[in-house]
Amino acid sequence: CDACQQPVPGDCPVVYADRAGYSRQWHPACFVCCRCAEPLVDLIYFWKSGAAWCGRHYCESLRPRCAGCDEIIFSDDYQQVEGLAWHNKHFACLECETLLTGKPFALAKASLLCTTC
């Protein structure tokens, strides 16, 4: 097995990933996302940088995820603060929903607050 390095018995099912090449194989329980260890045997997986990725983490490796709605941000026009990203329409105060682009704000536990709130 490519992950656990243990032998795979001849009567045990194995997982092959086309893009990894048929020289690599995994026990079904060992074929997991390289970022979150989610089992991928029954899911669509992505192959990048020599490893298997779940859909969520593969997309996050390409584009940022909005801290406001948890969706991938496809636009090049978005707000980014301290490693977090927001769609422009979600870059707003958690309490009063005032848009904060160009305004002072506080960031507390990944939540935005205007100076009034």
Side-chain angles (χ1 to χ4, degrees):
C1 174
D2 202 66
C4 72
Q5 304 300 312
Q6 297 299 312
V8 180
D11 61 343
C12 180
V14 295
V15 175
Y16 291 99
D18 286 338
R19 296 199 175 171
Y22 283 100
S23 62
R24 298 176 76 177
Q25 60 184 357
W26 295 262
H27 294 103
C30 293
F31 191 62
V32 299
C33 173
C34 66
R35 294 274 307 274
C36 68
E38 178 178 13
L40 298 174
V41 73
D42 292 326
L43 299 177
I44 295 172
Y45 69 90
F46 298 84
W47 190 259
K48 179 181 172 188
S49 303
W53 297 64
C54 68
R56 178 179 182 88
H57 289 112
Y58 175 75
C59 289
E60 284 179 359
S61 77
L62 303 175
R63 302 292 307 168
R65 185 172 294 277
C66 179
C69 71
D70 200 39
E71 296 292 325
I72 294 294
I73 301 172
F74 291 103
S75 170
D76 288 333
D77 187 23
Y78 62 92
Q79 301 298 317
Q80 191 165 8
V81 178
E82 295 183 17
L84 297 172
W86 289 265
H87 291 105
N88 286 333
K89 66 183 179 184
H90 296 140
F91 193 70
C93 177
L94 179 67
E95 297 294 325
C96 69
E97 299 181 5
T98 300
L99 290 178
L100 298 173
T101 303
K103 297 178 182 175
F105 63 89
L107 179 64
K109 297 182 183 176
S111 296
L112 297 166
L113 295 171
C114 69
T115 54
T116 304
C117 294

